[in-house]
Amino acid sequence: MENRDQGAAQNHACASCKQQRRKCDETCEMAPYFPASRYSEFQNAHKIFGVSNIQKILATAAPDQRQAAAESILTEGNARKNDPVHGCLGIIRGLNAQIQGLERELHIMKQHLELCKEKEELDGKKKPIKRRRLAA
């Protein structure tokens, strides 16, 4: 009975196989990229792309790029779950708005720094006026 339980524990279906309700074996091409622990994320991606399109995307990606492609697929799925209308585009737009705001702030700070430097130069050029004492 222990051997049977250990075998069941080791033979977890990947998220893709679990979604399709099929047995996952060592030849499963999706298992390295979509482990069972990321099932809910895979469900989000599945709703957008479908399993066959996810498999096509991974098949067309270079072997060293497949993990990044899988992460992108999961990210898009999560983004679409959180923002069904804009998805990743909403995140990108928000980040661009942050960048533009920070660039404006940086420009203002550079102007302020220049003004401070000019003031310091002007203060350094002014020589203190020596006042003569009048003899009493």
Side-chain angles (χ1 to χ4, degrees):
M1 182 110 170
E2 279 184 39
N3 290 340
R4 186 175 167 191
D5 291 340
Q6 287 175 350
Q10 292 173 350
N11 201 11
H12 285 294
C14 71
S16 175
C17 292
K18 191 173 182 180
Q19 175 69 34
Q20 298 174 50
R21 293 186 177 105
R22 67 177 194 181
K23 194 171 186 177
C24 188
D25 59 14
E26 60 274 349
T27 62
C28 179
E29 294 177 6
M30 304 282 271
Y33 310 109
F34 305 106
S37 61
R38 299 185 81 177
Y39 178 68
S40 62
E41 292 176 89
F42 184 81
Q43 283 182 312
N44 297 334
H46 175 264
K47 288 177 186 174
I48 295 168
F49 299 105
V51 175
S52 63
N53 286 328
I54 292 172
Q55 288 171 331
K56 287 176 190 175
I57 291 168
L58 291 178
T60 59
D64 62 327
Q65 294 295 311
R66 288 184 182 148
Q67 185 63 44
E71 288 299 323
S72 294
I73 290 167
L74 294 175
T75 300
E76 179 67 29
N78 291 333
R80 284 284 173 184
K81 180 183 180 209
N82 295 331
D83 185 355
V85 175
H86 297 107
C88 284
L89 182 61
I91 295 169
I92 292 168
R93 285 181 178 168
L95 291 172
N96 278 335
Q98 272 187 312
I99 289 169
Q100 289 173 357
L102 292 170
E103 284 175 342
R104 283 191 299 270
E105 187 177 337
L106 178 63
H107 179 71
I108 291 167
M109 293 306 294
K110 283 182 178 181
Q111 287 179 334
H112 182 71
L113 182 61
E114 286 298 317
L115 288 173
C116 289
K117 284 181 181 179
E118 288 176 15
K119 183 180 183 295
E120 189 176 278
E121 286 176 9
L122 288 174
D123 288 346
K125 288 182 181 178
K126 290 182 183 176
K127 294 181 181 178
I129 301 172
K130 293 183 182 179
R131 297 186 181 193
R132 294 183 187 176
R133 286 189 186 176
L134 298 175

